[in-house]
Amino acid sequence: MKNLLVASLLIIPLAMTSCTRTEKNVTVGAATGAVVGGLIGGNVRSAAVGAVIGGVTMAFVSKATRPGYCIYEDRRGRRHEARCR
């Protein structure tokens, strides 16, 4: 369990470099779900299930709170979020 917590603390800053607000919210939800699932279940499988549940939940919540916004991609492949045209 201690290794999982250390790995989470190392991975989260890398994942937070995501492009859009939705991706950042999903990352935070998955990380929180993994920690809570790991603490409740006490094993890696519970942490994985918690990460999936947290990520999916935050994806739906994030999209629901940002109506009228779309994700666009420029010529270099960078994505950004702006009002839908």
Side-chain angles (χ1 to χ4, degrees):
M1 189 66 202
K2 185 177 179 183
N3 291 338
L4 179 65
L5 182 60
V6 171
S8 297
L9 293 175
L10 294 174
I11 292 172
I12 291 171
L14 293 174
M16 290 305 292
T17 61
S18 302
C19 298
T20 65
R21 177 168 298 173
T22 300
E23 291 169 344
K24 289 180 182 178
N25 290 343
V26 169
T27 302
V28 170
T32 304
V35 170
V36 171
L39 290 174
I40 291 172
N43 58 29
V44 175
R45 185 175 184 180
S46 299
V49 170
V52 170
I53 291 171
V56 170
T57 301
M58 284 305 293
F60 286 122
V61 169
S62 182
K63 286 295 183 184
T65 59
R66 302 276 299 173
Y69 280 81
C70 296
I71 297 174
Y72 297 101
E73 191 169 314
D74 64 10
R75 293 181 185 177
R76 296 182 180 182
R78 294 178 297 196
R79 293 185 291 167
H80 63 278
E81 193 172 343
R83 288 246 182 232
C84 295
R85 298 180 193 167

